[in-house]
């Protein structure tokens, strides 16, 4: 089941979020974990979350945001973070999370759902290649 993240998910979400950071060779401080959690629950922050649940256990999450699309009358959607517990990979969980976001995007008019992943994350790219179109856009980053 894919559903909106809820306050009661905190204890299940936190270790998954920490594992997500570790996958990308980052150790999240307790302050970052708490801040991210609070942002997910605060509608004014502009970032939202979904969780994937099987038999009452949270096994994955997607963090996303939306903003007006400057190329159309709709909204653009951005998938910030997607993580599925390693024990649940290959079950269609990541696809189900993305499909829910695609549905949100289609309900808000023309626009796009986009995301990035590490070049080395080949397993995720196999999923992404099935559910989306790989673009030719080049990503740049400035750390402030």
């Amino acid at each position: 089941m894919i559903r909106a993240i809820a306050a009661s998910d905190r204890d299940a979400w936190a270790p998954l979020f920490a594992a997500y950071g570790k996958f990308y060779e980052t150790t999240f401080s307790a302050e970052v974990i708490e801040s991210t959690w609070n942002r997910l629950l605060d509608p004014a922050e502009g970032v939202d979350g979904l969780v994937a649940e099987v038999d009452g256990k949270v096994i994955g999450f997607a963090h996303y945001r939306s903003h007006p699309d400057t190329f159309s009358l709709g909204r653009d959607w951005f998938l910030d973070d997607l993580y599925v517990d390693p024990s649940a990979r290959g079950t269609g969980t990541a696809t189900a999370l993305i499909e829910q976001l695609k549905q949100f995007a289609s309900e808000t008019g023309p626009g796009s759902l986009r995301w990035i992943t590490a070049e080395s994350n080949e397993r995720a790219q196999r999923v992404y290649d099935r559910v989306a179109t790989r673009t030719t856009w080049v990503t740049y980053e400035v750390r402030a």
Side-chain angles (χ1 to χ4, degrees):
M1 172 174 51
I2 306 300
R3 61 174 175 76
I5 201 164
S8 59
D9 295 321
R10 169 70 168 81
D11 291 344
W13 169 88
L16 291 172
F17 186 60
Y20 172 71
K22 186 176 180 180
F23 178 82
Y24 282 111
E25 300 176 356
T26 300
T27 301
F28 295 134
S29 68
E31 182 180 37
V32 167
I33 291 172
E34 193 61 27
S35 174
T36 301
W37 179 250
N38 289 332
R39 287 176 174 171
L40 288 167
L41 295 183
D42 184 349
E45 284 291 333
V47 63
D48 293 297
L50 296 172
V51 293
E53 182 181 79
V54 173
D55 297 328
K57 180 182 178 188
V58 174
I59 59 167
F61 64 80
H63 303 154
Y64 64 95
R65 51 197 155 99
S66 173
H67 58 86
D69 177 23
T70 60
F71 278 42
S72 75
L73 300 175
R75 297 189 67 78
D76 266 345
W77 294 76
F78 191 81
L79 171 58
D80 283 305
D81 311 306
L82 177 68
Y83 186 77
V84 175
D85 186 275
S87 68
R89 292 183 185 159
T91 64
T93 302
T95 300
L97 286 161
I98 293 168
E99 289 298 324
Q100 181 62 64
L101 291 174
K102 285 169 62 176
Q103 182 173 338
F104 289 167
S106 72
E107 292 170 356
T108 59
S112 300
L113 169 62
R114 295 184 179 97
W115 61 92
I116 60 173
T117 192
E119 186 176 24
S120 62
N121 194 350
E122 294 175 1
R123 182 171 185 161
Q125 289 175 47
R126 286 192 299 273
V127 173
Y128 302 158
D129 288 342
R130 280 195 327 267
V131 300
T133 301
R134 186 182 296 242
T135 71
T136 58
W137 292 95
V138 177
T139 300
Y140 291 86
E141 179 176 83
V142 174
R143 290 281 186 192

